[in-house]
Amino acid sequence: MLEQIAFVLVFIAGVSLFALRIKAIRRNILLGRDLDRSDQPGARWKTMALVALGQSKMVVRPVAGLMHILIYLGFVIINIEVLEIIIDGVTGHHRIFSGLGSIYDFLIGSFEILAFGVVFSCVIFLLRRNVIRIKRFHAAEMTKWPTSDANIILVVEILLMFAFLSMNACDGLLQQALSASIAEGAEVSTQLSHYVSAGSFPVSQFLMPLYDGLSVEGLIFVERFMWWFHIVGILAFLVYVPYSKHFHIFLAFPNTYYSNLEAKGAFTNMEAVTKEVQLMMDPSADPFAAPAPDAADAPPARFGAKDANDLTWKQLMDSYSCTECGRCTSQCPANQTGKLLSPRKIMMDTRDRIEEIGKNIDQNKGEFKDDGKSLIRDFISEEELWACTSCNACVEACPVNIDPLSIIVDLRRYLIMEESKSPESITAMFNNIENNGAPWAFPASDRGNWTQEMNEA
Amino acid sequence: MSQAIHVPTMAEMVAKGETPEVLFWVGCSGSFDDRAKKITKAIARILTHAGVKFAVLGAEESCTGDPAKRAGNEFLYQMQAMQNIMVLNGYDIKHIVTGCPHCFNIMKNEYPELGGNYEVVHHTQFINQLIKDGRLKLSDGDTFKGKRITFHDPCYLGRGNDVYEAPRAVLQQLDAELVEMRRCKKQGLCCGAGGAQMFKEAEPGNKEVNIERTEEALELKPNVIATGCPFCNTMMTDGVKNFEKEGSVDVKDIAELIAEAADLL
């Protein structure tokens, strides 16, 4: 009974801490500007099924992709086992689903094989990060915390799977001990009597020699220890994940659902600008007219984005969905040629800044107190922004459809339209377009000269 | 052989009471840059040869606003866009073909929200259709037989709008050996000109993007690096010169290659 109460308390604590953190992240994401992504539900479900559920963009890089699928399948399917563990924990049963007989054997056997796949992939991933030192995991923005975050996750997954397999190994040995005792007609303790034959142990049988020398009491202790380690570990993981880059395991789904479904080349139209340009081009407009009554309600929004909360909620969701894999950065033409720009850093900076804004709001009774900082300059420099060729390689590379380019453009819009700040040659280009309708200083009247040249050919 | 061709403007056509099948949107580079003008002329020759009734806007055309928009100047972009849309709608234009993927992208995807709704195609798509419809036949000469050609995907045609096959289908008509760079199609590497980079110095780094890209192309030992964008053409031409390969490797737009194969130049 004591064990059950302890379990329920630990479980409630884990789930509550997780829920609180989710609430905070949701609030932070909604600090962003409005954006309507409620259209085309069919296409959205399809994108989510393909990209998040089907991992279609992961396998572009087959080695990492396939091993990621192993971990992903393991994670999703082994959760059926976690369901049993939770029911056992609350009710005090042992392996409550074991009544399913051969189906149960099949399930446990599959979980074990998947668990092995997870351990295998995690070991390879650790080697890729720390021994082979693949370049994209060691860029400038991969400072101490992002690097340890990745390693912590991988080590914890290995430990959890090891606990799961050890639990099964001891269970298997105890099942053998119980059968032997019954066969010998010996007296069976209540504790041992729980370990009726159930499940199959295709992987953990190889761990059995490790625990073979233990007494029945010793085995029961190790089995219980591993059971608790496994479930408490999972709950701790649940609480840790939303503070980590690993949060993509949840956000990948909504983030791909709310993907940009337009052609990648299409940039958003700024309606606030359209209104002003229409007014400018309307010869009958009265420049001294009082603003329309509804315009007075809200202060005019900033053009472009200066800070993280000038971005849309989707751009902020993107930032929380980023798992810092660096595929974007490794495909970025600017980054590959040694420029400061790294699309992954754009996402990490955006997330770090909106987290900071969120904390500021919490500390100041629900209201943001100006901290003199902004996403632009304090996090992302102008040099980074101006290195972008808008080629969409980062957007294409992202396995969860994050769009770093849209953030770069919104920050550029702020620089140009609010601060009139651009490299000199860009200003010259603007002037040329304004004066003669071409980015270079050619007279507009010469535009058709090539047709004359063809007449004379 | 190179014949004199009259390219009519929309104003001329309207004066005669005629309507073109398609408007040829030339773009700034194609109108003013000496190298890009050759591409423009090749497109005009192909259209004429295939019997396409087309017109240009001439001096009534103006920058689409692409470099302004990509650089963050939405005001300037929308001013340009609205002026162009007024002209295009004034002529009741329905179909547009252009040799510039930036013009193609912006008119196809961004003009509709400002009231400009047209069917816009890139010249490689248009040429592909002309060949499919039997309107454009290449001469039997084997201009490109045995030559190695590699195609550099323009970002705003490829990733920007998922057009990967049309340019390749057109190149296949040349009976040449088509070789792909490691980074091609969806994974294509930018030439370094997009996003208004064309109009500024690159940020500090250890290499120019066009050098990185040209290097990759040259590894294939091609005779021709084929392009579909006047800006890519400039960047790749500069890259080839950087490696002093201009004697052995041509950088040519698909339109130029087709015009050459059809004996139009």
Side-chain angles (χ1 to χ4, degrees):
Chain A
M1 196 59 200
L2 208 62
E3 222 179 321
Q4 282 162 260
I5 293 168
F7 178 83
V8 171
L9 289 178
V10 170
F11 185 76
I12 290 174
V15 173
S16 310
L17 286 171
F18 175 74
L20 277 175
R21 175 64 182 154
I22 299 300
K23 205 177 143 216
I25 291 177
R26 186 171 179 274
R27 194 274 316 268
N28 287 355
I29 288 176
L30 292 176
L31 291 174
R33 287 185 182 170
D34 279 348
L35 174 76
D36 186 11
R37 287 272 165 94
S38 61
D39 60 325
Q40 307 178 58
R44 298 193 174 282
W45 284 110
K46 202 179 147 198
T47 308
M48 187 178 89
L50 222 66
V51 178
L53 203 65
Q55 312 253 308
S56 59
K57 289 173 93 180
M58 276 307 291
V59 288
V60 172
R61 298 191 183 190
V63 176
L66 290 173
M67 282 192 300
H68 183 268
I69 288 178
L70 276 182
I71 298 183
Y72 162 75
L73 282 179
F75 179 83
V76 173
I77 299 174
I78 297 174
N79 274 328
I80 304 174
E81 169 68 10
V82 175
L83 183 68
E84 181 183 43
I85 291 178
I86 292 169
I87 296 175
D88 285 352
V90 175
T91 60
H93 274 90
H94 184 72
R95 293 187 181 264
I96 192 157
F97 295 159
S98 58
L100 295 170
S102 58
I103 299 175
Y104 189 75
D105 294 352
F106 172 77
L107 281 176
I108 296 294
S110 317
F111 297 157
E112 287 214 340
I113 292 165
L114 286 165
F116 178 75
V118 172
V119 172
F120 173 79
S121 297
C122 287
V123 169
I124 302 286
F125 280 173
L126 279 171
L127 290 175
R128 281 162 59 93
R129 276 180 188 268
N130 301 296
V131 180
I132 309 171
R133 295 184 69 82
I134 287 175
K135 202 179 149 214
R136 68 183 153 106
F137 299 132
H138 299 279
E141 66 270 22
M142 296 306 282
T143 48
K144 215 173 152 197
W145 160 243
T147 305
S148 9
D149 186 16
N151 285 327
I152 289 170
I153 292 284
L154 290 169
V155 169
V156 167
E157 283 183 54
I158 291 174
L159 287 178
L160 287 178
M161 291 303 116
F162 178 75
F164 170 69
L165 291 170
S166 289
M167 173 184 97
N168 280 355
C170 294
D171 206 299
L173 288 171
L174 287 163
Q175 290 175 18
Q176 286 168 20
L178 178 64
S179 312
S181 302
I182 292 169
E184 287 164 19
E187 200 183 324
V188 176
S189 68
T190 351
Q191 273 186 311
L192 183 61
S193 68
H194 289 142
Y195 295 94
V196 287
S197 288
S200 63
F201 308 108
V203 177
S204 62
Q205 59 175 316
F206 297 104
L207 284 178
M208 286 180 188
L210 207 61
Y211 305 109
D212 213 4
L214 294 175
S215 64
V216 167
E217 289 71 31
L219 281 173
I220 291 175
F221 175 79
V222 175
E223 193 274 335
R224 286 288 87 198
F225 177 82
M226 292 298 176
W227 187 91
W228 275 97
F229 183 89
H230 181 61
I231 188 63
V232 173
I234 284 176
L235 288 168
F237 192 77
L238 188 72
V239 176
Y240 177 82
V241 159
Y243 289 94
S244 146
K245 75 182 195 87
H246 215 56
F247 196 43
H248 78 285
I249 59 175
F250 298 111
L251 273 189
F253 296 92
N255 204 58
T256 49
Y257 181 86
Y258 292 116
S259 292
N260 174 24
L261 299 179
E262 305 292 315
K264 286 194 192 70
F267 285 16
T268 51
N269 187 61
M270 293 178 69
E271 274 171 51
V273 172
T274 309
K275 280 183 202 134
E276 299 214 11
V277 172
Q278 272 165 346
L279 206 64
M280 265 192 283
M281 292 179 71
D282 179 4
S284 59
D286 175 7
F288 303 108
D294 62 321
D297 296 350
R302 198 174 261 153
F303 288 123
K306 178 189 185 186
D307 212 341
N309 52 350
D310 295 326
L311 297 167
T312 69
W313 61 264
K314 177 57 171 64
Q315 289 167 319
L316 297 177
M317 183 187 268
D318 274 355
S319 78
Y320 278 107
S321 306
C322 175
T323 196
E324 300 164 11
C325 71
R327 290 183 184 211
C328 52
T329 295
S330 73
Q331 296 286 89
C332 172
N335 193 275
Q336 288 179 73
T337 54
K339 277 86 173 174
L340 211 52
L341 174 63
S342 164
R344 168 173 56 189
K345 179 177 174 289
I346 301 285
M347 300 320 300
M348 293 167 72
D349 286 343
T350 302
R351 183 194 55 209
D352 292 350
R353 177 58 182 159
I354 199 68
E355 272 287 297
E356 197 173 77
I357 292 175
K359 282 197 188 107
N360 181 314
I361 291 174
D362 292 337
Q363 281 159 9
N364 295 296
K365 298 178 187 121
E367 212 154 312
F368 179 70
K369 213 169 131 201
D370 190 5
D371 57 0
K373 292 195 334 191
S374 60
L375 180 61
I376 204 158
R377 297 201 186 91
D378 294 299
F379 289 79
I380 300 169
S381 66
E382 288 170 56
E383 184 181 333
E384 288 164 73
L385 297 176
W386 287 114
C388 175
T389 70
S390 77
C391 76
N392 263 308
C394 53
V395 183
E396 176 60 44
C398 182
V400 294
N401 287 356
I402 291 170
D403 184 352
L405 174 55
S406 69
I407 296 180
I408 294 172
V409 172
D410 281 343
L411 293 169
R412 278 188 182 181
R413 282 171 170 170
Y414 166 77
L415 280 178
I416 299 291
M417 292 192 284
E418 294 281 354
E419 291 192 357
S420 300
K421 218 164 167 299
S422 57
E424 229 171 279
S425 47
I426 290 287
T427 313
M429 179 263 288
F430 291 156
N431 289 337
N432 287 330
I433 294 180
E434 231 174 312
N435 295 331
N436 47 274
W440 301 285
F442 292 108
S445 53
D446 286 358
R447 195 174 270 271
N449 283 4
W450 64 274
T451 56
Q452 265 100 61
E453 292 161 27
M454 290 202 89
N455 270 330
E456 293 148 13
Chain B
M1 281 300 99
S2 174
Q3 283 175 333
I5 286 179
H6 176 67
V7 178
T9 59
M10 271 312 297
E12 269 175 68
M13 276 225 169
V14 169
K16 282 196 245 167
E18 292 175 21
T19 358
E21 178 184 338
V22 66
L23 175 84
F24 175 23
W25 182 275
V26 182
C28 299
S29 189
S31 301
F32 295 114
D33 181 89
D34 282 333
R35 174 67 190 86
K37 265 155 72 173
K38 292 185 181 169
I39 303 171
T40 305
K41 289 173 186 172
I43 297 173
R45 287 194 184 281
I46 291 169
L47 295 177
T48 309
H49 178 71
V52 177
K53 192 171 177 186
F54 73 100
V56 297
L57 285 174
E60 287 187 279
E61 189 185 289
S62 189
C63 174
T64 57
D66 169 83
K69 179 155 183 137
R70 312 293 136 182
N73 196 336
E74 185 77 6
F75 271 102
L76 183 52
Y77 153 67
Q78 292 201 11
M79 296 281 286
Q80 287 297 119
M82 286 190 198
Q83 284 173 40
N84 283 324
I85 289 167
M86 270 200 281
V87 173
L88 292 165
N89 289 354
Y91 283 125
D92 200 20
I93 299 294
K94 299 274 186 288
H95 305 282
I96 298 175
V97 59
T98 175
C100 173
H102 296 266
C103 299
F104 160 73
N105 172 70
I106 206 164
M107 298 175 96
K108 183 176 190 286
N109 296 318
E110 293 167 9
Y111 275 24
E113 278 185 270
L114 298 174
N117 294 287
Y118 323 102
E119 191 225 353
V120 189
V121 294
H122 185 245
H123 68 297
T124 58
Q125 294 174 301
F126 198 84
I127 293 171
N128 191 32
Q129 198 57 47
L130 289 177
I131 296 172
K132 272 192 192 160
D133 294 346
R135 293 173 74 182
L136 177 66
K137 289 198 173 64
L138 309 185
S139 65
D140 297 328
D142 41 13
T143 327
F144 293 100
K145 201 165 183 136
K147 295 256 172 87
R148 279 165 79 83
I149 301 182
T150 187
F151 176 61
H152 163 80
D153 288 281
C155 301
Y156 277 89
L157 185 66
R159 270 190 299 271
N161 289 285
D162 291 313
V163 179
Y164 301 106
E165 290 317 312
R168 288 175 171 79
V170 173
L171 285 171
Q172 244 131 34
Q173 300 293 319
L174 297 175
D175 202 17
E177 185 191 355
L178 258 187
V179 282
E180 292 286 358
M181 288 183 256
R182 184 175 59 79
R183 292 174 282 194
C184 66
K185 298 179 187 171
K186 280 188 171 179
Q187 272 80 45
L189 180 73
C190 177
C191 72
Q197 293 294 330
M198 186 73 194
F199 307 99
K200 61 182 269 298
E201 288 301 313
E203 305 303 312
N206 52 32
K207 206 176 196 178
E208 296 294 335
V209 177
N210 67 324
I211 300 300
E212 169 85 9
R213 185 53 163 172
T214 311
E215 217 166 39
E216 184 175 3
L218 292 178
E219 276 170 25
L220 299 169
K221 307 229 174 305
N223 302 98
V224 180
I225 298 172
T227 60
C229 168
F231 298 107
C232 296
N233 192 294
T234 304
M235 298 309 264
M236 300 305 281
T237 304
D238 287 351
V240 168
K241 277 186 192 148
N242 184 274
F243 291 103
E244 296 177 352
K245 292 277 184 200
E246 64 268 36
S248 56
V249 182
D250 285 336
V251 179
K252 285 198 171 155
D253 191 276
I254 290 180
E256 294 177 287
L257 299 172
I258 290 296
E260 210 176 320
D263 247 343
L264 302 175
L265 295 182

